[in-house]
Amino acid sequence: MNTYVALLNFTQQGLTNMHESAHRASAFRAAARKSGCKVLHLFWTMGAHDGVIVFQAKDDAAATGLMMSLSALGNVHTSTMRAFDAAEFTALVEKAPKM
């Protein structure tokens, strides 16, 4: 499974319905499970972003589909990044062409 980090920002709708955010997070975890993804961490944050989700998916298509479904609800905008652990990063570096 690949690891992904998604940064979240509330939309106006999400801010208006902020009191439902924890419930929506539980529903998101259940939807992720049903789609074969696994939510590792879900945080509400201060600063430039309102939340962070760390999750695993079998591939980029599964991760993108999950985030598109979340965004389609209209409560958050997402920005998702593929994350690599040390072993994965080392393997990528070893495959990088020498210039």
Side-chain angles (χ1 to χ4, degrees):
M1 297 269 277
N2 297 327
T3 302
Y4 298 85
V5 176
L7 303 175
L8 310 177
N9 287 309
F10 285 121
T11 62
Q12 185 59 49
Q13 175 181 307
L15 288 170
T16 300
N17 299 313
M18 190 177 303
H19 60 282
E20 298 173 0
S21 186
H23 173 71
R24 290 193 306 262
S26 293
F28 172 76
R29 284 181 184 274
R33 257 191 316 276
K34 286 181 183 176
S35 70
C37 299
K38 180 180 180 183
V39 176
L40 302 177
H41 301 285
L42 195 152
F43 300 106
W44 287 261
T45 58
M46 298 179 353
H49 301 285
D50 298 315
V52 176
I53 300 172
V54 180
F55 69 100
Q56 292 179 324
K58 65 180 178 176
D59 55 29
D60 291 347
T64 301
L66 180 64
M67 289 297 102
M68 288 172 65
S69 293
L70 178 60
S71 293
L73 297 173
N75 295 300
V76 293
H77 295 291
T78 65
S79 178
T80 306
M81 302 167 281
R82 171 76 164 84
F84 302 93
D85 64 21
E88 292 167 323
F89 183 74
T90 300
L92 288 171
V93 170
E94 290 172 357
K95 292 178 184 176
K98 304 283 189 254
M99 294 188 197

